Amino acid sequence: MKAHPTIVALSSGAGRAGVAVVRVSGNRVRFVVETIAGSMPEARKATYRPLRDRDGAIIDHGLVLFFPAPASFTGEDVAEFHIHGSRAVLARLLSVLMAMPGLRLAEAGEFTRRAFEAGKLDLAAVEGLADLIDSETEWQRRQALRQMEGALGQAAGEWRRALIKAMMLLEAEIDFSDEGDVGGPLIAEAVAGAQGVLESLQVALGGFAAGERVREGFVVVLAGPPNAGKSRLLNALARRDVAIVSPIPGTTRDAIEVRLDLGGIPVVLVDTAGLRESSDEIEAEGVRRARQKAAHADLVLRLRPPDSEPERIDAGTTEIAVATKLDLGGSACPGEVGVSAVTGAGLSELVELIASRLGKLGQAEPALVTRERQRVAVADAATAIERAALLPQEQPELIAEELRLAVRALERLIGKVDVEDVLDSLFSGFCIGK
């Protein structure tokens, strides 16, 4: 790996805290540790030391850890200083470190980028790490952890090896078909091997929609006539005042979104304008947007106030019928969930039903393909194999070329080729100390 300048960053959360972690990576780590902590600690063993500046004055007492290259996160020498999370202590330590020659502050995601360049993580695992840092619910944590542990990279490696084996069979058929020790229907065997890869790719693509939903959140839309209690129910489920609540019909003009964790499932709950005909251009546009949101939602909560007739909703649809304002004397009809956003009645039952419905949209195992970039690469590989399968077996050169394109798509997937345009955007999304 090419030589890098030594970088420094706060790796824990910014601001006042019990403990702060400052991370250093690069070829001057040993010099830094010896200067600050007096001597090198035993590798991978937390050692309590006074940390001093160049004049010998104590900055703080803390733990020092040293991870020698190449067995570290970045593949370089790495040190961590675990200090008290005082802003003054942190500022002084960083000031002392920045005064040392050959050190600079890390850029966003630079530690992880060095891990990628050192081969510690493939690109899919890096994306999994980014998703794990951003995860807010149990489903998101499980899916991101699987990605970070290399599930997609391992699968891509298996697909790639199988395709390379098929290409070798084709090469043998092309170059050595007249040799006595090269026999059997090699082209048919190669195509069959590629077909097996294609089936696996199609399974992975089939889980993309669910995987993307887990990353982004399942969209649940509150729909119904004006004054049906949509905004109040949104606030009750969010447990904070997100939307303005008013007895005046048409108060909500535009969609209001809030992210929630419902039973470990990530949900984007959307409050929309009341559904009615209106001569007001702004309200009419809000109604149009509300209908559009409902049409593309994973689940719609169809709210009915006490003075309205119930709508017929077939069982098993993507809608749940909700009777609101039980505190005002309303009641639920058969097939409806009755709630009161004021008293809290029926809210737990509604949340359980939402989680149950959305849970059926997910998968028993976290999805392999969770990002659009990944979907495109896997789809390109699958398309190339499909083209290869349509070619006559009398053209092994063309079949081999299509399989080569499939292999290249899988190499893009894990970051071996043609991903420079992706890297800057991806790593810039990390925090400075990661």
Side-chain angles (χ1 to χ4, degrees):
M1 186 175 67
K2 63 182 180 180
H4 287 299
T6 299
I7 54 174
V8 179
L10 172 68
S11 290
S12 54
R16 182 173 177 268
V19 176
V21 179
V22 175
R23 178 185 284 178
V24 186
S25 179
N27 57 11
R28 295 188 62 80
V29 162
R30 293 174 187 267
F31 166 75
V32 170
V33 173
E34 290 172 350
T35 302
I36 296 289
S39 63
M40 293 300 298
E42 183 180 341
R44 307 182 189 287
K45 182 178 180 180
T47 306
Y48 186 69
R49 295 278 181 84
L51 307 179
R52 302 176 185 271
D53 61 20
R54 296 297 292 270
D55 298 327
I58 294 179
I59 303 169
D60 192 14
H61 293 81
L63 298 177
V64 181
L65 291 97
F66 173 61
F67 305 91
S72 69
F73 176 68
T74 62
E76 306 171 321
D77 284 346
V78 173
E80 291 182 357
F81 299 100
H82 295 222
I83 59 176
H84 294 97
S86 156
R87 290 186 176 91
V89 171
L90 179 60
R92 180 57 182 158
L93 178 59
L94 289 176
S95 175
V96 169
L97 291 172
M98 288 299 94
M100 294 182 179
L103 273 69
R104 67 165 172 80
L105 286 173
E107 298 175 357
E110 190 168 5
F111 285 91
T112 306
R113 183 159 189 162
R114 292 190 179 191
F116 169 74
E117 291 176 348
K120 298 291 183 178
L121 299 170
D122 62 40
L123 191 55
V126 170
E127 290 169 329
L129 175 57
D131 290 341
L132 185 63
I133 292 172
D134 293 336
S135 63
E136 298 175 333
T137 72
E138 177 62 15
W139 278 32
Q140 289 175 330
R141 182 196 67 80
R142 289 175 54 235
Q143 177 169 284
L145 184 62
R146 188 183 186 209
Q147 288 280 48
M148 190 194 73
E149 290 176 340
L152 180 55
Q154 292 169 10
E158 293 174 1
W159 297 331
R160 181 176 176 272
R161 285 189 293 272
L163 291 177
I164 289 175
K165 179 181 177 181
M167 291 167 63
M168 291 173 59
L169 293 172
L170 292 170
E171 291 291 340
E173 176 67 27
I174 295 169
D175 296 334
F176 306 109
S177 58
D178 58 341
E179 298 290 335
D181 58 349
V182 179
L186 298 185
I187 297 180
E189 184 180 347
V191 171
Q195 184 65 33
V197 173
L198 176 60
E199 292 172 1
S200 295
L201 293 174
Q202 291 170 336
V203 170
L205 287 171
F208 169 69
E212 185 182 42
R213 273 291 179 254
V214 171
R215 279 191 69 247
E216 302 294 336
F218 292 91
V219 177
V220 177
V221 170
L222 302 174
N227 273 357
K230 298 184 295 297
S231 297
R232 193 178 293 277
L233 180 57
L234 176 78
N235 291 342
L237 292 174
R239 298 184 181 180
R240 64 183 188 274
D241 289 337
V242 178
I244 298 174
V245 176
S246 167
I248 302 174
T251 299
T252 302
R253 299 295 185 92
D254 204 355
I256 299 173
E257 298 183 358
V258 59
R259 300 183 68 87
L260 300 178
D261 177 350
L262 296 183
I265 301 175
V267 170
V268 178
L269 193 61
V270 185
D271 181 20
T272 60
L275 301 179
R276 68 174 179 179
E277 298 298 325
S278 175
S279 60
D280 185 302
E281 291 186 7
I282 298 177
E283 184 179 1
E285 175 62 17
V287 172
R288 186 192 69 79
R289 295 186 181 187
R291 296 187 190 280
Q292 186 179 53
K293 287 280 187 181
H296 294 91
D298 297 298
L299 185 64
V300 176
L301 305 186
R302 189 70 65 179
L303 273 60
R304 179 183 68 83
D307 55 352
S308 298
E309 291 296 320
E311 295 186 45
R312 178 179 175 81
I313 296 178
D314 295 332
T317 67
T318 57
E319 296 189 354
I320 296 176
V322 181
T324 61
K325 303 184 180 182
L326 294 187
D327 54 291
L328 297 182
S331 60
C333 296
E336 291 182 327
V337 179
V339 301
S340 169
V342 175
T343 66
L347 290 183
S348 60
E349 179 184 355
L350 177 60
V351 169
E352 289 177 4
L353 185 55
I354 293 172
S356 174
R357 289 284 185 89
L358 295 179
K360 295 176 182 178
L361 301 179
Q363 302 179 122
E365 287 293 324
L368 271 181
V369 179
T370 61
R371 290 179 175 237
E372 178 63 15
R373 184 198 70 83
Q374 298 169 0
R375 186 199 67 78
V376 170
V378 173
D380 286 349
T383 301
I385 298 174
E386 288 172 344
R387 290 196 302 264
L390 295 175
L391 291 169
Q393 294 193 4
E394 292 76 17
Q395 298 178 322
E397 298 90 345
L398 297 181
I399 297 174
E401 174 61 15
E402 293 295 352
L403 297 189
R404 187 191 67 80
L405 294 176
V407 168
R408 189 171 180 84
L410 295 177
E411 289 175 342
R412 288 202 314 272
L413 174 63
I414 57 179
K416 287 187 176 293
V417 294
D418 295 344
V419 292
E420 287 301 318
D421 57 334
V422 176
L423 297 183
D424 289 340
S425 174
L426 173 60
F427 289 114
S428 66
F430 283 88
C431 58
I432 294 295
K434 197 62 181 176

